[in-house]
Each structure stands twice: as structure tokens, then as C-alpha cells.
Amino acid sequence: MAKGIGRNGELFKILCDPEHLIESARDAARGKRRKPDVAKFLLNLEPECFRLARELASGVWQPGGYRSFHIIHPKPRMISCAPFEDRVVHHAIVSVLTAHFERRFVAHSYACRVGKGTHRALARAAHLTKTRAFVLRGDVVKFFPSIDHEVVKREVRRAVCDEALLRVLDQIIDGSNPQEPVQEWYAGDDLFSPLERRRGLPIGNQTSQFLANVLLDRLDHAVMDQSGFGDYTRYCDDFLVFADDREALWDLRAKIEGVLETLRLSLHPRKGGVHATKSTIPFLGFTIKRGQRRLKHDSVVRATRRLRAVGRQVAEGLISCESLRARIAAWVGHASHASSPRVIDTVLARARLAGAPA
């Protein structure tokens, strides 16, 4: 653990390889090639990546500013978008570190990992509701706005010793735009500690999603290895732990609160708790009851409104039929993970898209 990965700057050398940056740019551009800043960068892909490699290697690269917007569904939050050049660097760093951290991560952490994802997390949770009597639900209060910069840097340094690469990652963390203010006090804090410590990573950065997994890896191992609860699933800061002993799960919740406190994070006091698996369990936009999965009512309502709005845009000539088909197909693919297929026909009918090709 103390030795870490990346001795002799081996990871930084990969980061500064123009070919690695070219591949990272293609990954970052996937699905966004028509956006002006992306198209401009791709037009001169090789010269841009060679320039970027020189700036990184010489230490003169600096992250740019963010463009932010607010969403209200499924809950109010701010989404931040970095310049495309920065996103290329984000992808390049994450791809360098992923292979090494994948060996450390537990199998049942599902967010932003190849071969994992929302639907696999949902399927595992649905299976466990059929085999266990109780479930502990938990999520972290205002997770991304609460992430403490010094703590996340510390957690990365538990595994990485390549100082040149860490310097670039520190620049990205330090360059985070102001997030929703969070005031929480922890052991050893004085009155002004929450104001003096920098907090918050932008939702939307590839690095933010990766660092979230690095930060909560300590929680995963505390639950599965140190406490012995193998029936566990986590997607970002939402997690479920299954067992047949209700009191053991309440005891585990207290231990989890202690682990999170070392990360300067807190469990949501009003969400979660221990519940019987025969009751309805909300998770990742679905509800689960004894293995049966249903889309949450507000998810159905939002999908209906979105698809209806897209249908109007097609009628007005603002977007193409191909775009409509792609959006329908994406939503149908998501909704097909519910146990009741009738919800798909219901939503398409309400959105006045019945019979639309998906």
C-alpha cells in the first residue's frame, strides 16, 4: 500500500503520450462529435493532442473554466461542463488509473465501471430481495458537493505515488468550480472548519465519477471485508446491504457512519434505514419488491413528458425522426428492465408515440 503504483513516473509518461491522448479524445467525443468545441478539436486532432502532450509534460497545462446549468429532476443539482480539451485530459487520467484501481475495487460497486452500470446493480439488488429478509438502505448527504478536496487527494495517494501525475490530478481537483455549499462539522473541527476546507467536485467530470469510487472504496471494503456483509451493492453514493439479522444491519449502519466520518461525509438522516425485503425498496429510479422491479411513478411521468416534447420538436422540424427513434430506443432499453413490460406501451401511448419505431 505504501509503495503505491506509478513509481519512476511511469503513469505520467503514459498520460503524456500523444497516442494515448488521441485515443482519449476519441473516447471523450463519443456521442458529442457535432458539438462545436468537440468538432473544432477533432478537426485538428493530432496537432491538438501533440500540443496538449507538450503542455502536460512541461507542467504548463492549466484546466479551463466550467460552464454550468441546473436541473431539477430527479432532484435539484448543478451540472458542470469542462472545456473539451480538459475532458480529454480527464479521460486520459482515468484510463491510466483504471486498470490499477480495478484490482482494488470490490465486485459490487457498479457506477462508471466497464461491464457494470445501473441495470446490473438493479438486477443484483432484485435478486438479493428474494434471498434475504432485511436490507439496509443508505446514501450520502449531498455527496458530490460534500467531497473534501484534501480527503480525496489523500485517498488517491494511498494507492498512487506518481507525483507528476498526481500534480495534474490535483490541478483538476483544485480547479473545481464552486458547488452547493455544505456545512458539516466533524471530530476535531472548530467553528470555522467548514468554511476553510475546499469541498465539492463537479458532477459530469469523468474524473469526478472515478474519484467518487476511489473515495467510497474504503466504505466498500469496510462493509464486505471488515464487517463480512457480502450481500452488498453500491451505485455511486446509494448502497444496499442485505442480511437476515435486522439488529446486525443496524449495528452495521453505526459502523458505516464512523467510516464515512473519516472521509468527512455523512449518511442522510431521513433516507434509508433497515427494512424488510418484502416491503417496497426504492433504488436507482425503480422500486423493488421480492425481486419484482417497477419504474417509479415520477420516472414514468418524466419520461412521458420528455418523449412528448421530443415528438413536438419532430413535428416542428427542430430535430430529425432518427433522433426521435434513438431517444425512444434508449428509454425503451432502460424501461425494459422493469418486471412489467406494459409500462412501455403506456408511456408511448400517453406521449402520443404509440406505434413509433424504436
Side-chain angles (χ1 to χ4, degrees):
M1 182 91 66
K3 292 181 179 179
I5 58 173
R7 291 184 293 277
N8 304 316
E10 57 191 17
L11 300 181
F12 186 65
K13 291 175 186 175
I14 300 172
L15 176 65
C16 297
D17 182 345
E19 293 300 323
H20 179 67
L21 290 168
I22 288 170
E23 187 63 31
S24 297
R26 289 174 177 148
D27 288 342
R30 192 168 290 123
K32 304 177 181 67
R33 289 176 173 270
R34 295 186 179 182
K35 295 190 174 183
D37 58 337
V38 179
K40 181 180 178 182
F41 192 97
L42 295 181
L43 187 63
N44 299 290
L45 178 60
E46 291 192 5
E48 289 283 13
C49 288
F50 274 86
R51 172 191 59 80
L52 194 51
R54 289 192 299 270
E55 291 183 4
L56 287 165
S58 63
V60 301
W61 179 81
Q62 293 287 332
Y66 286 87
R67 177 174 54 85
S68 299
F69 57 95
H70 289 81
I71 62 172
I72 59 174
H73 296 298
K75 58 184 178 182
R77 54 184 176 169
M78 182 175 75
I79 307 296
S80 301
C81 183
F84 183 70
E85 177 183 300
D86 289 20
R87 283 178 271 156
V88 173
V89 178
H90 298 171
H91 276 258
I93 288 178
V94 171
S95 65
V96 166
L97 292 175
T98 291
H100 302 282
F101 273 92
E102 277 296 319
R103 294 195 289 266
R104 301 167 58 90
F105 291 158
V106 302
H108 299 301
S109 158
Y110 288 89
C112 304
R113 296 175 65 192
V114 175
K116 304 290 185 178
T118 306
H119 299 132
R120 287 182 182 271
L122 183 70
R124 174 167 169 79
H127 169 72
L128 290 172
T129 61
K130 297 186 293 184
T131 62
R132 294 296 190 182
F134 301 102
V135 59
L136 167 65
R137 291 179 52 232
D139 67 56
V140 177
V141 177
K142 297 180 180 178
F143 177 54
F144 281 100
S146 296
I147 292 176
D148 187 285
H149 288 193
E150 293 307 312
V151 172
V152 76
K153 290 177 185 178
R154 179 194 75 199
E155 292 301 303
V156 173
R157 281 168 168 78
R158 293 176 66 223
V160 180
C161 64
D162 188 326
E163 285 300 328
L165 182 137
L166 289 169
R167 184 188 68 242
V168 178
L169 190 55
D170 286 351
Q171 285 179 288
I172 293 170
I173 295 170
D174 294 338
S176 300
N177 58 334
Q179 302 294 304
E180 179 184 355
V182 178
Q183 291 191 347
E184 292 283 347
W185 283 262
Y186 296 95
D189 284 356
D190 59 29
L191 181 63
F192 300 103
S193 292
L195 303 176
E196 295 168 346
R197 303 181 69 97
R198 286 214 59 200
R199 297 185 183 195
L201 296 182
I203 300 174
N205 274 7
Q206 184 85 353
T207 46
S208 298
Q209 309 298 324
F210 175 75
L211 290 170
N213 277 337
V214 172
L215 191 63
L216 292 180
D217 184 57
R218 187 184 286 266
L219 168 65
D220 298 339
H221 287 283
V223 172
M224 297 189 68
D225 299 339
Q226 298 163 25
S227 299
F229 287 83
D231 291 336
Y232 170 76
T233 182
R234 178 177 66 80
Y235 188 93
C236 198
D237 63 308
D238 291 331
F239 64 87
L240 303 174
V241 190
F242 295 83
D244 292 325
D245 187 333
R246 183 194 294 267
E247 293 306 315
L249 287 175
W250 279 117
D251 291 343
L252 177 65
R253 189 182 193 279
K255 293 178 184 177
I256 287 173
E257 288 179 316
V259 172
L260 291 177
E261 183 164 352
T262 69
L263 302 174
R264 298 187 66 84
L265 298 170
S266 302
L267 279 180
H268 199 294
R270 294 186 302 278
K271 294 181 181 179
V274 177
H275 308 272
T277 52
K278 64 183 180 182
S279 62
T280 299
I281 302 161
F283 190 52
L284 304 179
F286 288 75
T287 60
I288 309 171
K289 186 173 183 179
R290 285 297 189 187
Q292 297 296 305
R293 290 166 271 178
R294 300 282 187 271
L295 279 168
K296 292 177 70 175
H297 175 71
D298 56 352
S299 298
V300 172
V301 171
R302 286 198 304 273
T304 303
R305 290 173 178 168
R306 281 198 304 268
L307 292 176
R308 187 178 293 165
V310 174
R312 286 196 297 266
Q313 289 177 313
V314 171
E316 295 168 6
L318 299 176
I319 63 173
S320 67
C321 289
E322 289 73 19
S323 179
L324 172 63
R325 291 190 187 97
R327 297 189 193 195
I328 292 174
W331 183 80
V332 168
H334 172 68
S336 65
H337 290 270
S339 301
S340 173
R342 290 181 296 176
V343 70
I344 296 173
D345 293 335
T346 300
V347 168
L348 293 180
R350 289 176 180 174
R352 302 188 184 93
L353 295 171

